[in-house]
Amino acid sequence: MKSTVKSTCCYCGVGCGILIETENKRITGVRGDPDHPANRGRLCTKGATLDQTAPLTYRLLTPSKVLRSTGKRSQISWDAALDEAATRFAEIIRAHGPDSVAFYISGQLMTEDYYVFNKLAKGLIGTNNVDTNSRLCMSSAVAGYKQTLGVDAPPCSYADILQAKVIFIAGANPAVAHPIVFRYIEDARAANPDLKIIVADPRRSESAEIADLHLPIKPGSDIALFNGMLHVLINEGLVDRAYVEAHTSGFDALADIVKNYSPEQVAALCGIPAEAIVQAARWFGASEASLSLYCQGLIQSAHGTHNNAGIIHLHLATGQIGKPGAGPFSLTGQPNAMGGREVGGLSNLMSAHRDLANPAHRAEMARFWGVPFVPANPGKSAVDLFKALKTGEIKAVWIACTNPAQSLPNQAEVRAALQTAEYVMLQEAYANTDTAAYADLLLPATGWAEKHGTVTNSERCITRVVSALPAPGEARHDWEIVVDFAQRLGKKLQHPNIDNLFPYSDAESIFNEHRESTRGRDLDITGLSYAKLESLGPQQWPFPEGATRGKTRLYEEGIFPTADGKARFVAVEHLPTADSTTPELPISLLSGRMRDHWHGMSRTGTVPRLFNLEDEPLLAMHPCDMRHRNLESGDLARVANARGEMTVRVAERPGLQRGRAWMPMHWGSQFMNSPGANAVASDATDPYSLQPELKHAAVQISKCTLP
Ligand code: SF4
């Protein structure tokens, strides 16, 4: 029987809609959904080849116990697997307390999966030790929005790209990482030849090729650039004084700071000409509509929160927010990092943008869930969670739908932590990830075309995802596994309300509970339902009861969700990168993305066509740095620092300044003799967002001569 099912691409946060065509429970094709507002039928190479990831060759299909010393897997039943897991968790919790267990989950999960994981940890067990790979991807954007605009809500929409007169791309490379967003930028340029595009990136990236002005700033000097631009805006009378007065606070304190960021001073900090800073500020400030697009370059930094605040300041100072074509717009990395943020899926967040530090919010959620309390102490964030696993403070971890043995920085420490842990559960669709080697228990989860629920993309747009295929083998939906486990664990822990805590028979009942938790909050979706998402199509939040459509643009009235209704300027100062280059570690290694691959390649790495562009890991270097080391394109080089090393082939590439090298973060132990770029990446974290500085590491590079 033939059918066509609406779903979303499971790769990036653009959140493109797709149509999955099936015949007799087999995928026969995938195409862009012409009715989906995110992509209007377009797909990039990754989305267009999703059908080629359907074969089950690399899938995890049965629950298995693993003897870690030998890697030998033995198949067990779901009952036996979940009984064992619940028993081990209950024993550890009884002996060492709720904070001795942790959950490390993923922006690839559906919002419903995320919701029940969060409720299991914070509600049933009573630990906030639930963090996700979104900590590596978006937590500085969350903290940046909260510090300045009051809540974690990206104010813009993709429609703004087409209305912008200036597009400022900072620390993002949408040409390869968010290709459908880049198509909108190309459309905007085609429709308006006067559109100005500024790209700030230490490397001349693919996106910089379309720029009118490329600012190849020194790694980590983003705040200096933004403060320098604000200095120019103030000096040249380009600040919207009326907007600043009526709708913001804290401007004068920041204006005092940026007096010390003249274009000449900033030129020295950023390594670019002063005239370029002045030009960027003039274009931004004089434009009718300036839009910023930013991603991991600003976010994966030891001062990522202030990087985000710095760029948001430019919008507040010029009133370039809350109107068509204007505003700060963080591009989400993971397909459903936004959904995770909505249900409070980080160790320091709570459901529906509630604040864990707020006792009234904790009491509200405890009442809502029917549990005695929600613990006050923030849980461990990703990097600290694995450090605590190594010291034994956390004894058991449940990892779902993510691959920390490749994606976290300072891999030697992460792998040692997994090795040391008393008990590691891995819930995965794929059997081929590096983390699988460290698991005691493997639980097969459904993958992309089999999943159902809802996801939210970068522009706050919620899409209903419908299963196109039945679960293969014995795989189960992530939410089903969590609910089954929670009921078993609750009985073992003799939780007084366990019979009522996880009553869900389907994903829709979880969505409905999540929906109710948003009532009266900034992201209120009480007007939505599965039926409405199916009849109206994807909708942006907020969508409160009585609404007929979602909200395209936030803060149009200049009122912000802060105590006084005003947005806040934050006193931000230039800070160096966590790693400084030295004579021993003279090269700044930058990590980035390739057009045809996604994260750790557990999916894209199985599609031969996606290796057409580059078929092996390559380290891009400046020709002078290569000559200095007697390296030629194609030679093998050793890249090392105190955290680790890797051996990789080098390639001379244009667009890099001397002293900078670049490598994609996708390649891991499936393709290399090391965990890849994250072997040497820094685990220094931002003090507010706790996001590690994955983008930059100081390394030595030397020629590797093999016998
Ligand atoms: Fe769209 Fe991103 Fe998927 Fe490409 S990878 S099709 S841009 S969601």
Side-chain angles (χ1 to χ4, degrees):
M1 199 180 78
K2 287 186 181 181
S3 84
T4 301
V5 167
K6 279 178 184 275
S7 184
T8 54
C9 172
C10 55
Y11 291 122
C12 83
V14 178
C16 296
I18 53 174
L19 298 173
I20 307 175
E21 290 156 356
T22 63
E23 186 170 357
N24 299 328
K25 298 182 184 169
R26 270 189 45 248
I27 295 183
T28 52
V30 165
R31 56 197 164 89
D33 180 353
D35 298 325
H36 197 287
N39 57 319
R40 300 280 171 214
R42 290 163 156 175
L43 290 178
C44 75
T45 47
K46 293 185 284 275
T49 50
L50 265 170
D51 56 327
Q52 294 172 42
T53 67
L56 300 179
T57 321
Y58 298 97
R59 290 293 297 272
L60 192 58
L61 295 172
T62 54
S64 303
K65 274 178 86 154
V66 188
L67 193 59
R68 269 204 254 169
S69 54
T70 61
K72 189 171 179 305
R73 295 180 185 181
S74 39
Q75 192 177 326
I76 55 174
S77 69
W78 270 110
D79 262 343
L82 291 179
D83 263 342
E84 176 195 297
T87 302
R88 292 297 299 270
F89 265 60
E91 283 169 357
I92 290 170
I93 291 165
R94 272 197 293 264
H96 305 284
D99 289 338
S100 59
V101 300
F103 299 83
Y104 187 61
I105 59 178
S106 167
Q108 302 263 322
L109 294 169
M110 301 281 118
T111 303
E112 291 77 357
D113 303 327
Y114 245 123
Y115 182 88
V116 287
F117 260 120
N118 218 33
K119 186 172 178 180
L120 165 63
K122 295 174 183 171
L124 170 60
I125 298 176
T127 179
N128 288 314
N129 284 341
V130 50
D131 217 53
T132 97
N133 56 13
S134 300
R135 178 74 64 185
L136 315 180
C137 154
M138 292 314 297
S139 56
S140 292
V142 174
Y145 281 132
K146 286 174 82 169
Q147 284 195 2
T148 54
L149 307 183
V151 293
D152 171 27
C156 303
S157 290
Y158 300 142
D160 287 310
I161 298 172
L162 296 166
Q163 293 167 292
K165 307 286 185 232
V166 167
I167 298 179
F168 183 22
I169 303 172
N173 187 10
V176 304
H178 298 96
I180 298 304
V181 161
F182 199 69
R183 295 289 91 79
Y184 289 129
I185 297 171
E186 290 173 330
D187 290 348
R189 162 60 51 84
N192 174 17
D194 294 332
L195 172 74
K196 293 282 184 280
I197 300 176
I198 308 164
V199 173
D201 193 316
R203 181 177 74 106
R204 191 169 177 85
S205 65
E206 292 83 347
S207 301
E209 294 304 321
I210 201 176
D212 300 282
L213 180 63
H214 173 220
L215 307 172
I217 60 171
K218 285 183 190 162
S221 64
D222 314 82
I223 297 172
L225 173 66
F226 305 143
N227 279 2
M229 288 173 68
L230 186 56
H231 177 107
V232 176
L233 293 172
I234 293 170
N235 279 10
E236 303 210 352
L238 292 169
V239 168
D240 184 338
R241 293 282 171 184
Y243 189 90
V244 168
E245 183 62 31
H247 302 297
T248 72
S249 63
F251 180 74
D252 292 343
L254 182 61
D256 260 356
I257 288 174
V258 305
K259 280 180 189 150
N260 299 321
Y261 287 81
S262 69
E264 293 70 28
Q265 287 164 302
V266 171
L269 290 170
C270 293
I272 55 173
E275 302 75 48
I277 298 157
V278 174
Q279 181 67 83
R282 283 182 183 157
W283 281 350
F284 189 100
S287 154
E288 282 166 40
S290 293
L291 180 75
S292 299
L293 300 172
Y294 50 97
C295 196
Q296 309 301 7
L298 295 197
I299 292 168
Q300 290 180 332
S301 156
H303 41 81
T305 302
H306 282 183
N307 288 348
N308 279 253
I311 200 163
I312 292 170
H313 290 157
L314 300 178
H315 291 272
L316 295 175
T318 53
Q320 297 277 11
I321 185 168
K323 61 181 191 179
F329 194 179
S330 57
L331 298 173
T332 316
Q334 302 246 30
N336 196 32
M338 284 290 290
R341 286 149 71 173
E342 290 156 19
V343 301
L346 286 170
S347 61
N348 56 332
L349 301 181
M350 281 185 68
S351 300
H353 292 176
R354 286 181 182 81
D355 196 351
L356 192 62
N358 182 331
H361 284 183
R362 291 199 305 276
E364 207 173 22
M365 276 318 291
R367 265 196 311 279
F368 184 78
W369 280 337
V371 298
F373 65 94
V374 171
N377 288 345
K380 300 274 190 228
S381 66
V383 168
D384 289 341
L385 190 157
F386 282 84
K387 284 184 178 166
L389 212 52
K390 190 171 173 212
T391 62
E393 187 184 343
I394 293 176
K395 303 194 182 303
V397 64
W398 180 345
I399 299 165
C401 204
T402 185
N403 186 15
Q406 180 179 348
S407 54
L408 279 166
N410 200 353
Q411 271 296 312
E413 286 296 299
V414 172
R415 290 174 174 217
L418 285 165
Q419 198 74 55
T420 312
E422 250 180 54
Y423 193 61
V424 178
M425 279 165 73
L426 177 64
Q427 177 170 322
E428 248 298 350
Y430 289 88
N432 61 343
T433 72
D434 292 344
T435 307
Y438 298 90
D440 296 284
L441 185 66
L442 293 166
L443 302 177
T446 47
W448 155 71
E450 303 127 25
K451 287 181 80 68
H452 61 190
T454 52
V455 294
T456 311
N457 72 5
S458 293
E459 58 166 1
R460 296 173 279 105
C461 188
I462 301 175
T463 301
R464 168 98 170 90
V465 171
V466 177
S467 303
L469 294 178
E474 295 180 33
R476 298 174 72 184
H477 296 304
D478 291 277
W479 69 265
E480 285 178 327
I481 302 170
V482 175
V483 168
D484 194 341
F485 171 91
Q487 284 161 348
R488 290 168 200 255
L489 180 71
K491 290 197 177 97
K492 287 185 195 298
L493 294 177
Q494 297 177 333
H495 194 285
N497 195 24
I498 187 59
D499 290 337
N500 302 315
L501 278 188
F502 291 88
Y504 318 111
S505 53
D506 52 23
E508 186 170 11
S509 49
I510 302 171
F511 175 85
N512 291 345
E513 185 175 309
H514 158 56
R515 174 183 66 186
E516 192 52 36
S517 78
T518 69
R519 188 174 291 280
R521 308 286 309 160
D522 67 293
L523 73 166
D524 192 328
I525 54 164
T526 47
L528 281 180
S529 62
Y530 273 16
K532 210 167 251 182
L533 285 168
E534 280 161 25
S535 62
L536 296 181
Q539 292 297 319
Q540 288 174 283
W541 58 252
F543 197 115
E545 211 162 5
T548 52
R549 49 164 301 190
K551 201 158 170 58
T552 307
R553 200 167 293 105
L554 304 182
Y555 314 133
E556 284 167 315
E557 298 81 27
I559 299 166
F560 294 86
T562 55
D564 60 2
K566 293 183 172 187
R568 298 178 285 241
F569 287 94
V570 183
V572 299
E573 292 266 21
H574 167 70
L575 288 167
T577 47
D579 270 9
S580 301
T581 50
T582 61
E584 292 73 39
L585 300 170
I587 302 286
S588 279
L589 175 65
L590 309 165
S591 65
R593 269 100 185 131
M594 294 161 71
R595 188 194 69 186
D596 292 350
H597 285 289
W598 173 252
H599 282 187
M601 295 164 84
S602 52
R603 249 186 316 246
T604 56
T606 67
V607 180
R609 200 182 123 188
L610 295 179
F611 290 87
N612 284 349
L613 206 60
E614 247 169 45
D615 61 2
E616 64 172 331
L618 290 175
L619 177 77
M621 288 185 74
H622 188 277
C624 290
D625 291 326
M626 289 174 65
R627 263 200 305 280
H628 185 64
R629 289 165 176 77
N630 200 21
L631 281 164
E632 289 182 11
S633 283
D635 285 348
L636 288 174
R638 178 176 175 268
V639 181
N641 60 20
R643 291 182 289 268
E645 64 175 74
M646 61 178 159
T647 305
V648 62
R649 210 179 287 287
V650 295
E652 184 182 323
R653 286 279 189 269
L656 276 167
Q657 300 208 352
R658 205 172 164 182
R660 297 175 197 172
W662 183 87
M663 187 173 158
M665 47 70 78
H666 309 292
W667 307 99
S669 304
Q670 304 290 317
F671 298 92
M672 300 181 71
N673 64 348
S674 77
N678 289 339
V680 295
S682 168
D683 58 5
T685 56
D686 176 277
Y688 308 100
S689 69
L690 305 175
Q691 178 155 357
E693 187 158 285
L694 281 155
K695 269 283 175 185
H696 175 262
V699 295
Q700 179 56 280
I701 299 176
S702 54
K703 184 162 179 157
C704 180
T705 312
L706 296 179

